[in-house]
Amino acid sequence: YSMMVLLPVEGKKTDDILDILDKDSFENWNNSIQPIEAELFIPKFKIEYKALLNDALSDMGMEIAFTERADFTRLFEENYGLMISRVIHKAVIEVNEEGTEAAAVTGVEVSLTSLPPEKPVLTLNRPFIFFIKEKHTGAILFAGKLSNPE
């Protein structure tokens, strides 16, 4: 797993990036990344997201599953009168001195080490956007925006 951070240049906002962020721009940025050795200062943060997905799933065509008309006989031999009452989604991302934890999965471990002073210094002390990706497939597992890194 890896963490990608988009830090707007001074004078720009994260929303300026989000306004132009699409599949193509993300792939262009991702493909243009050049590895460098740098000293990184990233704030500790924890973001939690919880949502009831009943309405979203109903809008996507699953409305019957939330009613008495639900038919789960392909899962069970008899129809027990089952229906879905709630679908809840919760995500937690925490970044601290020990690394990054996303939900129950440990992702990128970030450790601050002593680096020579001639290396660039990147301090995430203003709002930024982040992505946690699986390295082999490039699949984005989590994405977020930290509005107040202080």
Side-chain angles (χ1 to χ4, degrees), residues 9-58:
V9 295
E10 290 284 347
K12 294 288 184 177
K13 299 178 180 178
T14 53
D15 287 342
D16 296 332
I17 292 175
L18 293 174
D19 287 343
I20 62 169
L21 184 62
D22 59 17
K23 181 181 181 287
D24 292 333
S25 62
F26 181 85
E27 286 179 3
N28 287 337
W29 289 333
N30 193 43
N31 293 335
S32 66
I33 293 174
Q34 297 296 318
I36 62 166
E37 204 168 317
E39 192 168 352
L40 175 66
F41 294 95
I42 187 168
K44 293 189 295 186
F45 65 90
K46 182 175 183 178
I47 298 174
E48 295 185 26
Y49 174 79
K50 184 176 180 181
L52 181 66
L53 298 182
N54 293 25
D55 290 341
L57 292 172
S58 291

Side-chain angles (χ1 to χ4, degrees), residues 67-124:
T67 69
E68 296 80 21
R69 297 186 337 242
D71 181 1
F72 293 105
T73 54
R74 288 187 174 184
L75 298 175
F76 305 100
E77 288 183 17
E78 296 182 36
N79 189 1
Y80 295 104
L82 302 174
M83 68 180 223
I84 298 174
S85 58
R86 294 190 311 168
V87 177
I88 298 173
H89 174 71
K90 183 175 182 180
V92 178
I93 296 176
E94 184 171 7
V95 175
N96 59 34
E97 296 89 348
E98 296 173 15
T100 299
E101 189 173 319
V105 177
T106 300
V108 177
E109 182 174 317
V110 178
S111 299
L112 298 179
T113 59
S114 177
L115 298 173
E118 66 270 8
K119 294 180 182 169
V121 175
L122 177 59
T123 303
L124 302 179

